[in-house]
Amino acid sequence: MWDDAVVLFDPTDRVDSDAIGSLAVCRKMDGAQILVRVERARKTGEATVRCANDVSLDVTLDTASPVIAVIP
């Protein structure tokens, strides 16, 4: 989506509450890392996220870290 862009974020070992409602780098329970907007999340890791192609997904997150900046 953003060819050669740099995404700055501060990795966490949990679903950070600051990631909810914003662009975030997330790791799903299966180990895959995704860049999405976290629409809502529960303490159990269950979350609804919105992908770049505007598709909404229900996933289980291991971690979610809010994006600090994107350098194109």
Side-chain angles (χ1 to χ4, degrees):
M1 178 176 76
W2 292 322
D3 193 26
D4 293 330
V6 176
V7 178
L8 302 176
F9 66 101
D10 185 16
T12 63
D13 58 353
R14 59 187 168 77
V15 176
D16 191 330
S17 61
D18 290 338
I20 300 170
S22 66
L23 188 62
V25 176
C26 303
R27 186 171 54 242
K28 299 187 316 182
M29 292 303 258
D30 65 5
Q33 204 165 25
I34 55 176
L35 179 65
V36 294
R37 180 178 179 269
V38 180
E39 294 186 337
R40 61 189 183 114
R42 295 184 175 174
K43 292 180 182 179
T44 58
E46 296 169 329
T48 301
V49 299
R50 185 156 306 270
C51 302
N53 60 358
D54 205 32
V55 172
S56 183
L57 299 174
D58 291 322
V59 296
T60 304
L61 299 176
D62 184 29
T63 66
S65 305
V67 169
I68 298 168
V70 177
I71 302 168

